[in-house]
Amino acid sequence: YLLCGHNLHKASRFTSKFTTFEHFYRFLIHFSPLLITLYITFFKKSTFPDVPNDAWYTGFVGWANKNKIVQGYDTGEFMPNLNVTREQMMVIVYNYAKYLGKTTDVIVRLNYDDKAEIHDWAEKAVGYCTARKLISPDENNNIRPTDPATRAEVAELLMNFVTKIMY
């Protein structure tokens, strides 16, 4: 239901990519009723200059930032309308696993043909997500870290996270 675009921004209703951080977070909040409670109760003031106080996602971004699940860019902005890359998606899931107290200490040798494209800040997260088989390389053994995450890839990562890590 969610992957078809229902209850998501109309512009992405029938596309295959999560076009922005906003869409990715909207998908994530459906997995965590706790976040809804936190949004209503706390974090109604933006922690980033480009996240309006009255945006539907302000509380979620504030909560995730406070709990070190997401960070802004070096400019101090969050940039909620930028595409979410595959490595950013893996960093968010990795940081959420740490927040939940799950073991994230995994030593993995990244043997992907495009490993040089993985940013230093994402290496541990990519290693964690691939070692735990939360996300897979493509048929050419590329992890495609800077590509936008498709809806199918988000679904794969989240379903595997819920079934393999959370429970």
Side-chain angles (χ1 to χ4, degrees):
Y1 184 69
L2 291 171
L3 296 179
C4 295
H6 296 289
N7 295 327
L8 295 177
H9 191 274
K10 288 182 182 181
S12 68
R13 190 167 190 167
F14 297 107
T15 63
S16 64
K17 294 187 188 290
F18 275 90
T19 55
T20 67
F21 277 110
E22 175 183 335
H23 297 141
F24 182 65
Y25 290 120
R26 186 171 289 214
F27 185 85
L28 284 177
I29 64 172
H30 286 281
F31 280 93
S32 185
L34 173 63
L35 289 178
I36 294 169
T37 303
L38 288 170
Y39 169 72
I40 293 169
T41 310
F42 306 106
F43 307 111
K44 292 200 178 197
K45 187 172 181 192
S46 177
T47 54
F48 297 99
D50 60 336
V51 175
N53 287 333
D54 60 350
W56 69 266
Y57 54 87
T58 301
F60 302 111
V61 172
W63 176 85
N65 180 249
K66 181 182 184 306
N67 290 290
K68 299 179 181 168
I69 297 167
V70 299
Q71 297 177 343
Y73 285 81
D74 291 340
T75 62
E77 296 173 302
F78 185 71
M79 300 187 192
N81 294 316
L82 286 183
N83 290 342
V84 178
T85 66
R86 288 171 49 90
E87 70 183 354
Q88 288 170 335
M89 175 180 67
M90 288 184 258
V91 167
I92 292 167
V93 167
Y94 172 77
N95 289 340
Y96 188 59
K98 288 194 309 188
Y99 168 79
L100 293 175
K102 304 296 182 182
T103 301
T104 56
D105 295 333
V106 177
I107 299 172
V108 177
R109 192 172 193 181
L110 300 174
N111 293 319
Y112 304 109
D113 293 343
D114 60 349
K115 67 182 174 189
E117 294 178 35
I118 301 170
H119 289 94
D120 292 343
W121 49 263
E123 282 184 7
K124 285 183 181 180
V126 172
Y128 172 79
C129 289
T130 56
R132 298 278 196 246
K133 300 192 185 318
L134 304 181
I135 197 163
S136 307
D138 66 17
E139 63 278 355
N140 297 316
N141 196 41
N142 290 313
I143 203 69
R144 301 181 344 269
T146 59
D147 284 2
T150 66
R151 298 163 77 85
E153 291 164 341
V154 171
E156 173 193 23
L157 182 65
L158 292 177
M159 192 231 26
N160 287 334
F161 180 78
V162 169
T163 59
K164 295 177 180 182
I165 306 300
M166 289 185 71
Y167 302 105

